Amino acid sequence: MMFSFGSALLAAVVGLVLWTGAGYVLARAVGFGRSVALPLAPALGWTVLNALALEISRWAGIPLLGTLGALVLIAGGCLLHNTNVVEPPDDTPAMPVWMFLAAAIVALAPAMAVAPKETQAGIALSPAIFDHSKIALIDAMVRDGVPPVNPFYGPPGEPAGVAYYYLWHFGAAQLAGLTGARGWEADAAASWFTAFSTLMLMAALAMRFARTPLAPALAIALCVTGSLRPVLEAAIGEERLAGVLRPATGFAGWLFQSSWSPHHVAAAGALVIATLLAVRLATSPRTLTAIVLGLVVAGAYQSSIWVGGVVLALAMLALLPLLLPRVPPGGLPRFLLAALVAAALALLLATPLLVEQYHAGIMRGGGSPVAISPLPVLAESAAGRFGRVLDLPAYWLVLLVVEFPLIYPVGAVALWRLASRRDARTLSGREARALGVLTLVSLAASWLLVSTVGDNNDLGWRAVLPGLMVLTAAAGAGLTRLVERRGRVVPGLALAGFAASLIGGAVIAAGNARGEISSDAAWFARAPAMWAAVRRHAPAGARVANNPALFATMTPWPVNISWALLADRRSCFAGNELAIAFAPLSRQQRGAISDQFLRVFAGEGSADDLRALADTNGCDVVLVTARDGAWARDPFAESPLYHLVETEPEAWRVYVATPLSSDPARPASSTTPQGSQ
């Protein structure tokens, strides 16, 4: 079986109950009113519970014990906490039940990007599945516990840790462990929950801004919109648009980013919550608030170094001048002590990942992971002799309007009005100002900062997310006021803008639901049986080698997708695309190893290449398929390093390294090998 929708549904329900319950208790304990606490609960509970569970799991060695321990600590902390604290008045209306249902339905759109689609031609996958190849990390944590052993690369004698920000995948592993779901199904469930939780977070902000159910409804509706590029291409032609704007990238709206990179979206939600908690900490310094803030900051960083690391650090520094004057008289020492507690806790929890990233950075070489460079906006022909200088204003005047129509212009105006109201000294007014600062930092970081670690500017693409969430909520509030106006012109323009941006969202949603048929679709339908054969001969700790370019046409860029989704075993080298983020290798080393693997599976490998696979890279099991050049020119067939243990005619062959096959401790295969020699 390739994918069970029933298992994914069960995992999503378990996550909803587990994280929302913990989040609601925490939200009430730190002073959020009932009307705000419930819609805030999913995102808050996910971040705090997983950040705490991950640290406990490092010591316990069993992820599920970490979850249980985190629940006990949260419940005990809230019970011991002094609840006789006078909460500030909150006139925010309660969120209607139908709003939760609407968010649950909309959240299906990004979740569908993960699921396979059965067609007459075979299995279709959505383009976004490319970024979900990290599912192998979920399987690794379920199989081996935490800290995870790197499933993408790990030759003998070298560190096998993971330097990637994997808290989101740890959360998915919790769902898999609790329900028995496989990594692929747990990823789909976690993607749905992340979409749902951030939708409810934006709805909660919109309700707090406008205090009417129409505002959160409009905010959720805005989340299904997309770029104006499809409309502009239809109006002026694709070539003319390409002569003005650079091609679309990962710098996109909530629907696109939730489909492709939900861990960055989760980190953005955590950063928004951290901002709200920072305001409450300044208004009323309390130990529990400081602890929860520290856990949220740690969770944001462990989910995304770009959003929860770079943007969060800049945002918190920018918030200090706003928060310090609002500390109650005589409360400054308590506030500074509470802030120190939050910072120390966040640093303590983040240290293991920081150490891994530091060592990986040294081994990769190169300079600083972050550089200052304006985000490219205009095509070279449009910039002319001014070059990149025009990109600076074009970001604010062109790109943000094109990519976030309505959300950016309406949200910016509405947020400015909210932050400059006369009641800015109230708690809700301070929250609006703090969120305004966060939005400015978020947009400016995308504008000027670029990540240099990989081939893509992940920092520039993801840094916009926290500000985008705040602007979406503010736009919902602003559109509510426009709808209530008696005139027809302005509301009519807003409706036209929504309709135009809805086309871009529909393109993304349709791509998620339909997928793309490739020439490998029929063959991919047989992949579960193929990987089941590999698992029969590969112990849980074995590393597998296969063609990194297998099923290359199933994704927009070639990635080892069948291994990532279905193998449930580590790879000795999962391919260049995955090695960029997960292998502590320089560009030259990564390229040399990639060329070697491609050469071997093309049937052009030498005896030295096979020796490198067996000894240097530690490949215990090898999979050769009929799609590989090595099927006809099989270098493993005559090699003394490997021998055949199972074959499917005209389909695949499974080889096992000779030392591994002769190990008496190796468990016997569950079935009799076919065609073994």
Side-chain angles (χ1 to χ4, degrees):
M1 183 171 61
M2 181 167 292
F3 183 94
S4 170
F5 284 92
S7 294
L9 176 60
L10 177 60
V13 171
V14 168
L16 181 64
V17 173
L18 178 68
W19 293 323
T20 302
Y24 182 76
V25 172
L26 283 171
R28 297 290 292 132
V30 298
F32 287 103
R34 288 184 176 86
S35 57
V36 177
L38 187 57
L40 205 68
L44 177 62
W46 180 91
T47 309
V48 172
L49 188 62
N50 281 306
L52 194 55
L54 178 59
E55 185 61 26
I56 296 173
S57 298
R58 292 183 192 277
W59 298 96
I62 303 175
L64 293 183
L65 288 182
T67 300
L68 179 61
L71 286 171
V72 171
L73 286 176
I74 289 173
C78 292
L79 287 174
L80 294 174
H81 179 69
N82 179 18
T83 57
N84 298 321
V85 179
V86 178
E87 295 181 6
D90 185 4
D91 58 350
T92 305
M95 190 74 68
V97 175
W98 62 266
M99 204 74 69
F100 292 87
L101 296 175
I105 294 172
V106 172
L108 292 173
M112 283 303 296
V114 185
K117 292 83 182 170
E118 293 188 13
T119 70
Q120 292 182 346
I123 297 297
L125 298 177
S126 301
I129 200 67
F130 173 86
D131 261 6
H132 289 266
S133 51
K134 304 174 187 72
I135 285 169
L137 191 55
I138 301 173
D139 285 325
M141 284 185 275
V142 174
R143 188 175 59 245
D144 304 320
V146 291
V149 177
N150 194 328
F152 304 93
Y153 176 76
E158 293 190 17
V162 176
Y164 195 79
Y165 27 90
Y166 58 80
L167 182 68
W168 187 90
H169 304 90
F170 171 79
Q174 302 301 291
L175 298 182
L178 287 167
T179 64
R182 291 174 294 182
W184 193 354
E185 297 149 0
D187 186 286
S191 296
W192 174 87
F193 182 86
T194 298
F196 171 78
S197 64
T198 51
L199 283 170
M200 291 314 304
L201 173 60
M202 289 182 277
L205 294 179
M207 179 71 89
R208 195 158 177 79
F209 288 156
R211 292 175 169 79
T212 171
L214 181 59
L218 291 174
I220 291 176
L222 287 171
C223 288
V224 301
T225 61
S227 172
L228 285 180
R229 288 178 186 268
V231 175
L232 294 175
E233 289 175 355
I236 66 175
E238 187 173 349
E239 290 186 5
R240 288 186 178 179
L241 182 63
V244 178
L245 291 178
R246 289 177 181 261
T249 63
F251 184 87
W254 174 89
L255 181 57
F256 180 92
Q257 304 232 36
S258 295
S259 303
W260 284 75
S261 301
H263 51 300
H264 294 296
V265 176
L271 181 47
V272 173
I273 293 175
T275 303
L276 299 176
L277 289 171
V279 173
R280 290 181 175 272
L281 191 66
T283 304
S284 177
R286 298 159 63 188
T287 303
L288 182 62
T289 306
I291 293 174
V292 174
L293 176 58
L295 289 167
V296 169
V297 169
Y301 173 76
Q302 291 167 330
S303 300
S304 168
I305 186 177
W306 309 122
V307 177
V310 177
V311 180
L312 186 144
L314 294 174
M316 290 300 161
L317 288 174
L319 282 173
L320 275 178
L322 176 69
L323 298 180
L324 287 175
R326 305 304 179 190
V327 176
L332 184 59
R334 288 185 60 197
F335 169 70
L336 293 177
L337 179 60
L340 183 61
V341 169
L345 178 59
L347 183 61
L348 177 66
L349 297 180
T351 294
L353 181 57
L354 279 168
V355 171
E356 286 283 358
Q357 290 175 333
Y358 172 75
H359 288 306
I362 291 178
M363 296 180 72
R364 286 193 183 102
S368 170
V370 178
I372 298 177
S373 179
L375 189 71
V377 178
L378 300 176
E380 293 183 5
S381 57
R385 61 188 180 89
F386 294 99
R388 297 288 301 279
V389 175
L390 288 182
D391 283 336
L392 293 169
Y395 172 84
W396 299 95
L397 301 177
V398 179
L399 184 64
L400 292 178
V401 177
V402 170
E403 297 298 341
F404 315 124
L406 278 188
I407 291 177
Y408 168 62
V410 176
V413 173
L415 187 59
W416 175 266
R417 295 185 61 181
L418 287 164
S420 59
R421 291 182 308 187
R422 292 183 178 180
D423 65 344
R425 293 192 175 184
T426 64
L427 181 60
S428 59
R430 293 173 188 174
E431 289 174 344
R433 287 193 170 188
L435 292 171
V437 171
L438 170 63
T439 301
L440 185 59
V441 170
S442 171
L443 298 182
S446 280
W447 180 38
L448 295 175
L449 299 181
V450 58
S451 54
T452 62
V453 175
D455 294 340
N456 296 322
N457 179 18
D458 278 317
L459 171 56
W461 295 355
R462 316 308 178 192
V464 73
L465 281 166
L468 181 61
M469 288 184 181
V470 176
L471 287 175
T472 301
L479 289 174
T480 299
R481 294 186 176 88
L482 290 179
V483 170
E484 293 172 349
R485 294 182 61 168
R486 294 183 179 180
R488 297 181 179 179
V489 176
V490 176
L493 290 175
L495 182 61
F498 177 77
S501 59
L502 195 61
I503 296 174
V507 170
I508 298 171
N512 289 349
R514 184 179 61 249
E516 293 185 358
I517 300 293
S518 80
S519 57
D520 287 328
W523 226 87
F524 192 84
R526 305 176 64 185
M530 177 180 72
W531 286 110
V534 172
R535 286 193 298 274
R536 284 196 288 270
H537 305 283
R543 288 195 178 271
V544 178
N546 78 299
N547 184 358
L550 183 65
F551 299 116
T553 65
M554 296 290 293
T555 50
W557 302 275
V559 69
N560 200 346
I561 194 64
S562 72
W563 166 81
L565 300 180
L566 298 165
D568 193 17
R569 289 296 183 270
R570 302 171 191 162
S571 174
C572 47
F573 183 75
N576 183 66
E577 290 291 338
L578 291 170
I580 291 173
F582 291 98
L585 299 168
S586 67
R587 184 184 297 270
Q588 293 76 15
Q589 291 173 318
R590 194 174 67 241
I593 297 174
S594 177
D595 290 344
Q596 186 176 63
F597 271 72
L598 293 174
R599 187 165 61 244
V600 167
F601 285 95
E604 301 168 358
S606 65
D608 289 340
D609 289 331
L610 263 64
R611 174 66 64 181
L613 261 65
D615 296 341
T616 307
N617 294 292
C619 301
D620 302 310
V621 180
V622 174
L623 170 67
V624 178
T625 76
R627 310 284 287 186
D628 302 325
W631 183 260
R633 303 182 301 275
D634 192 342
F636 299 96
E638 303 299 328
S639 173
L641 300 173
Y642 292 93
H643 74 272
L644 183 68
V645 292
E646 183 170 341
T647 183
E648 179 72 17
E650 303 302 322
W652 62 78
R653 300 172 188 145
V654 179
Y655 291 90
V656 172
T658 302
L660 180 66
S661 64
S662 61
D663 186 354
R666 179 182 178 273
S669 173
S670 58
T671 61
T672 302
Q674 302 175 24
S676 58
Q677 297 178 354

